[in-house]
Amino acid sequence: MRVLVAGGAGYIGSVVTAALVADGHEVTVLDDLSTGHADAVVEGARLAQVSLHDSAPVLADVRPDAVLHFAARSLVAVSQQQPEDYWSTNVAGSLALLEAMRAVDCRRIVFSSTAATYGEPDQVPIREDAPTRPTNTYGASKLAVDHMLTSYAVAHGFAAVSLRYFNVAGAAFGLGERHATETHLIPLALQVAAGQRESLTVFGRDYPTPDGTCIRDYVHVGDLSDAHLLALSAPSAGEHRIYNLGNGTGFSVQEVVDAAREVTGHEIPTVDGPRRPGDPAQLVASSDLIRADLGWTPRHTDLVGIVRDAWDVAR
Ligand code: UDP
């Protein structure tokens, strides 16, 4: 298949690009490198350094059979301070991409959505029919694109899948997380172990959870990548499917710190800080739907293994 990967120079997009190339697909990465890295694009894939807003000529040239769309701003706190950037890149940029697809009659897309579309859940594990009440602009912007895809499926015959990621972690194909502004727990803990930071701040120990720290569902990037390849051919024209992607088990911040200590052999000093605004106590996915529909089964459900894979490429 001829595939265009928007955001294929970022963490998850680069892993999926590597998997597509390994599977024999013809891959073009479209990425403006605002947060991605050219050297994360595997050999065998072509890189077009172009933003979503200017994607039309690239699509006209490539004429892809399908698009995987990872390109986005993804920092929750920044989305609250600079919402314009989130509406512009995530929403207007996605609209430009969908229109560029329509112009070349490419109507198959897999989109990176997020658990942040649900906001504070009434129930965990979170199913796809849970209410969507995002608590920040990042989640709202991703939800807007999910709505956009539903209407493009109905009106324009798009075959679309939104994958709502929970906490993506680990590494595959030698590619891990490399953000200029790192906010995620596992890479931050590993930066302490690597001597790049003094300590890790634990954001709140007074949550209603067994050890008082927040619980999240850490899904391995390799498993996530498998889901994209399955999703690519799943929907028919006129269908927009939405699937949650998590490994179905929650781990607390303290358990992540303990796993990072075990993997690295470093004591990883922690400092107790206040709660981070907008952090729900517990976010765990029900991934029953994608398991039943597409036969997706996560292979890396052990937290220590996930952290070890991240550590192996971080050093
Ligand atoms: N967290 C923390 N210290 C940090 C970064 C994150 O205690 O320096 C906590 C955060 O409050 C949340 C969990 O780790 O409960 C996962 O946060 P992350 O930013 O990795 O992902 P999120 O769940 O926000 O998408």
Side-chain angles (χ1 to χ4, degrees):
M1 217 189 256
R2 236 183 355 254
V3 185
L4 184 118
V5 182
Y11 168 42
I12 303 164
S14 66
V15 168
V16 176
T17 297
L20 288 164
V21 169
D23 261 18
H25 295 285
E26 197 182 311
V27 185
T28 301
V29 166
L30 181 138
D31 199 304
D32 63 6
L33 301 183
S34 52
T35 54
H37 308 274
D39 65 3
V41 177
V42 285
E43 216 170 294
R46 182 187 147 212
L47 170 64
Q49 192 181 339
V50 169
S51 89
L52 291 172
H53 301 284
D54 303 319
S55 53
V58 179
L59 274 100
D61 179 35
V62 173
R63 302 196 83 83
D65 302 307
V67 169
L68 291 114
H69 177 23
F70 301 89
R73 297 274 171 266
S74 62
L75 298 174
V76 168
V78 181
S79 80
Q80 297 302 86
Q81 291 140 16
Q82 293 158 26
E84 61 282 1
D85 201 13
Y86 284 70
W87 296 117
S88 170
T89 303
N90 296 3
V91 179
S94 295
L95 179 60
L97 180 66
L98 296 190
E99 283 302 285
M101 288 174 66
R102 208 152 70 86
V104 296
D105 201 23
C106 169
R107 290 164 203 260
R108 181 165 294 277
I109 182 165
V110 178
F111 172 62
S112 304
S113 187
T114 169
T117 53
Y118 295 111
E120 185 85 43
D122 297 327
Q123 275 183 336
V124 281
I126 303 172
R127 290 161 36 118
E128 289 82 354
D129 56 6
T132 43
R133 297 178 299 225
T135 51
N136 51 63
T137 303
Y138 167 63
S141 71
K142 288 283 184 173
L143 183 59
V145 180
D146 284 345
H147 289 316
M148 216 187 272
L149 289 172
T150 302
S151 60
Y152 269 64
V154 172
H156 299 313
F158 271 51
V161 179
S162 292
L163 296 175
R164 290 190 172 154
Y165 309 159
F166 281 64
N167 291 62
V168 188
F173 297 98
L175 299 160
E177 258 177 291
R178 268 196 288 159
H179 298 124
T181 314
E182 192 51 77
T183 61
H184 292 125
L185 179 62
I186 292 177
L188 286 174
L190 296 180
Q191 284 181 5
V192 177
Q196 294 159 9
R197 278 173 201 269
E198 294 274 295
S199 62
L200 178 82
T201 304
V202 174
F203 297 145
R205 285 196 180 271
D206 57 349
Y207 283 96
T209 60
D211 66 21
T213 64
C214 282
I215 292 176
R216 294 289 180 273
D217 183 334
Y218 295 89
V219 56
H220 192 282
V221 69
D223 290 329
L224 202 76
S225 171
D226 291 348
H228 285 77
L229 271 67
L230 291 169
L232 200 53
S233 53
S236 355
E239 213 185 347
H240 176 213
R241 302 189 188 183
I242 296 177
Y243 293 122
N244 288 344
L245 276 182
N247 81 43
T249 312
F251 297 101
S252 72
V253 172
Q254 186 58 52
E255 287 175 311
V256 171
V257 172
D258 291 342
R261 285 174 175 157
E262 185 183 329
V263 166
T264 62
H266 191 283
E267 64 178 306
I268 310 184
T270 60
V271 173
D272 292 345
R275 290 183 177 196
R276 192 170 63 176
D279 263 347
Q282 218 182 123
L283 288 177
V284 179
S286 161
S287 300
D288 292 350
L289 196 60
I290 190 165
R291 287 172 190 253
D293 282 7
L294 306 187
W296 178 71
T297 317
R299 288 173 289 143
H300 312 269
T301 49
D302 154 54
L303 181 62
V304 168
I306 293 174
V307 173
R308 180 170 294 119
D309 283 357
W311 179 237
D312 284 346
V313 299
R315 286 181 295 170

